[in-house]
Amino acid sequence: MNASPFVVYNASAGSGKTYTLTKRYLGLLFSSSSYRSFREMLALTFTNKAVGEMKTRILESLFAFSQPSVLEKPPLMFSELVDETGFTSKQLQQK
């Protein structure tokens, strides 16, 4: 039996789905060897508001992760991604 390439998150409002989806998306993005991997990922949600929130979080996270200060005072998501990807803080910031 083949494993599905899809991951489904089903949870109630306010449970952190957008945070989880954003972290998963960024983890896949940073772990990929292709600089175009974002073109091969698809995240679906049921409202335009949720899509906008996820897009905003991804862009804000990418901006925050690119700042030199992220190495001194890393946001929670950055620290979690360092742990999950196996990259050092500096490597993740450079990606």
Side-chain angles (χ1 to χ4, degrees):
M1 180 188 242
N2 291 335
S4 173
F6 301 103
V7 176
V8 176
Y9 295 101
N10 183 15
S12 61
S15 62
K17 288 183 301 293
T18 303
Y19 180 89
T20 300
L21 285 170
T22 300
K23 186 172 78 166
R24 175 83 171 160
Y25 180 91
L26 291 172
L28 290 169
L29 182 70
F30 293 137
S31 297
S32 175
S33 59
S34 170
Y35 70 93
R36 298 172 57 94
S37 63
F38 68 94
R39 293 181 174 264
E40 299 170 358
M41 290 188 263
L42 175 66
L44 298 174
T45 188
F46 292 101
T47 67
N48 289 333
K49 181 180 176 184
V51 170
E53 184 179 343
M54 187 172 158
K55 180 179 176 182
T56 298
R57 283 198 192 185
I58 289 169
L59 293 174
E60 286 175 350
S61 295
L62 289 171
F63 178 78
F65 295 176
S66 72
Q67 301 304 302
S69 61
V70 76
L71 300 175
E72 299 160 15
K73 190 174 180 187
L76 177 61
M77 187 180 297
F78 184 86
S79 297
E80 290 175 347
L81 285 167
V82 166
D83 292 340
E84 291 175 15
T85 62
F87 292 120
T88 66
S89 295
K90 185 68 175 169
Q91 289 171 323
L92 189 64
Q93 192 233 8
Q94 288 175 341
K95 280 192 155 280

